Amino acid sequence: MSIKTCFPKSCHAFLIVSKHRFEGQFHSHFEEKVRPYIDLIDSLRLLGIDDNLALPTIAVIGDQSSGKSSVLEALSGVTLPRGSGIVTRCPLHLKLRRIRGGVQWRAFISYKEECIQFDDPSLVEAYVRQAQNKLAGDGVGICEDLITLEIMSPLVCDLTLIDLPEIARVPVNGQPEDIEEQIKYLIRSFIERDEIISLVVVPCNVNIATTEALKMAQEVDPEGKRTLAILTKPDLIEKGTEKNILDVVRNQVIPLSKGYIMVKCRDQQQIDNKISLEEAARVERDFFKRHEYFSCLLNEDKATIQCLATKLTQHLVDHIKKSLPLLSEQIKKLLWDLRKELSQCEAGPPLDPQKKKDFYISILMKFNDKINCSATGEAGNEYNLFVQLRSEFRKWKDHLDSTKSPFHEKVQAVEKEYDLKYRGRKLPGFSDYSDFEMVVQRLVIQLRRPAIDTLRVIRETIQKQFSDVSRSCFPHYPYLQNVAMNKIDIIQSKQEAKVKQRILEQFEMEQLVYTQDGIYMKSLNETSLAVDVQKVSEDNFAGLDSRSKYPEMLKAYYEIVVERLADQVPMLILYFMLKESAQLLCNEMLGLMDGANVNEVLREESEVSRRRVNLQKRIDRLTLAQEKLSNFL
């Protein structure tokens, strides 16, 4: 049974209380069927779904001075901004909600971060003007930002629509030269969507075919399947044109599937006389009843604001029902695309507090694992530092070996210097052990600076590797990355100072000129063998001509020193700069778990993280929207 044939013509859906019990019961039943669908779309819009998908709604458009504001006032029961030029400067999302149970009138207006609740209908106009000035600036400019005005009253119909700026053809009063194109672009961005019903407001006293609003509606909806036209100002038409207007209303001039409705709203004189909207509705009905030509429109359900309200609600709900399956499929596809895009992003911290803490612990452990892998030197590990360090240690060993080649010249130079400065009364050739010690000490001390240089290079290599691990483990967490970098630098500095002290101590010990006898004999024999000299043992060593074997003896001991330093310096560096540093760093990072503000620690600052967060928010909104839709499908 259709609304058109059964809904009582006398039931004023938003201005008068039903006179008959049947009418009241029917209207209540109608509301129960309508309200959930309108609330559904409003809730989806509140979720921000219209940022991604077009939602079914009614967009109100019209040329300047078309009577659009008067129509909206009659529907909403409140006074909206009026005046010359562009009155609607921002899209106005008008939500009308009929309430029962003795609840008084109240409203909300919201835009950007503002949300104002009030209970005085006379404040609506001022609040809307204030919102437009904040969004579009003082003056005559327009803005695409949405203003939402929600009105709850026992005297309104259940309806949601969007009021768009009036089409201005000629810039006036400082308007931009392209104001017409700006407005048309904004209007077109709404009405070109298949989910939008275009409510076109056209004055009866102009040629309907010349109105810009209807032309735009025809461009995007050439068959008129989702266009409904309102004819205003029927009291201003010229005598003799009444039948032409009737032809328009009866769809015989520019056919529209949803047809035409004629209304007569308050004129300026009635506004000046402060005639209420309730009284204006009564005057409107009397006008059509008494009109010679237009009275028939009452019987055809094609006249009065009350008829318009009923049809708009009916069209909107029908349109919503028709759109829901497609909307559900669009949400499913968008969810699939967003989840796929999110899966390709680097994983970030979960939203759940406990899971976020677990995530925090896991990335710290991952960091420590990589640091430990760097320190242990396991084969096949990309973080293996030993490959780089071995190369540096080989350079140290090569430097030590390189000092052997000019050894004979250095020995002769030292001996000559000794003879000149220190020999005293001794004849040449009568050398003693102190000569031997002095030569060794002079040669060994020259190796101290290269050892410290090797330490510096190794420190830089290790610190760079540890820093790279920090960047790879905490790429989107600046707090953690800064903490790790600072700890790496502090620990490496302390350990470098410790190793430097140990190396210097090692060279101080080398001044003792000591090694085990057996080790020395082995080295001396290897040196003697190289120059084809008699093999030496502890038994015959005392009877040998020490002077004749002095170069070999010195060289043999120097070989021992070189071998000792070739291992000792790298071992000191490896232990303190790598192994102990890694342990200290891991302990320091684990200490961050105690009493940490996880939200602050995991605060992300990167394009990837912002993209991931935005994707997750969109997925959450769409998932909630899908759940809401499932209850209606």
Side-chain angles (χ1 to χ4, degrees), residues 254-276:
I254 300 178
L256 300 174
S257 296
K258 298 189 182 301
Y260 296 78
I261 295 177
M262 185 182 292
V263 300
K264 182 187 179 304
C265 302
R266 292 187 304 175
D267 55 32
Q268 190 58 49
Q269 183 177 353
Q270 290 173 322
I271 294 172
D272 294 339
N273 294 335
K274 297 183 178 179
I275 293 178
S276 68

Side-chain angles (χ1 to χ4, degrees), residues 608-619:
V608 173
S609 65
R610 284 190 288 271
R611 176 165 159 257
R612 189 182 63 246
V613 170
N614 289 333
L615 284 171
Q616 188 58 59
K617 287 181 178 178
R618 291 172 65 187
I619 289 172

Side-chain angles (χ1 to χ4, degrees), residues 91 142-144 165 181-190:
I142 66 167
C143 175
E144 62 183 16
E181 290 307 313
Q182 288 186 33
I183 294 172
K184 285 184 176 180
Y185 177 82
L186 177 59
I187 292 174
R188 194 173 290 111
S189 69
F190 279 88

Side-chain angles (χ1 to χ4, degrees), residues 198-214:
S198 297
L199 181 60
V200 186
V201 181
V202 181
C204 288
N205 59 341
V206 300
N207 183 351
I208 187 173
T210 64
T211 59
E212 287 295 323
L214 191 57

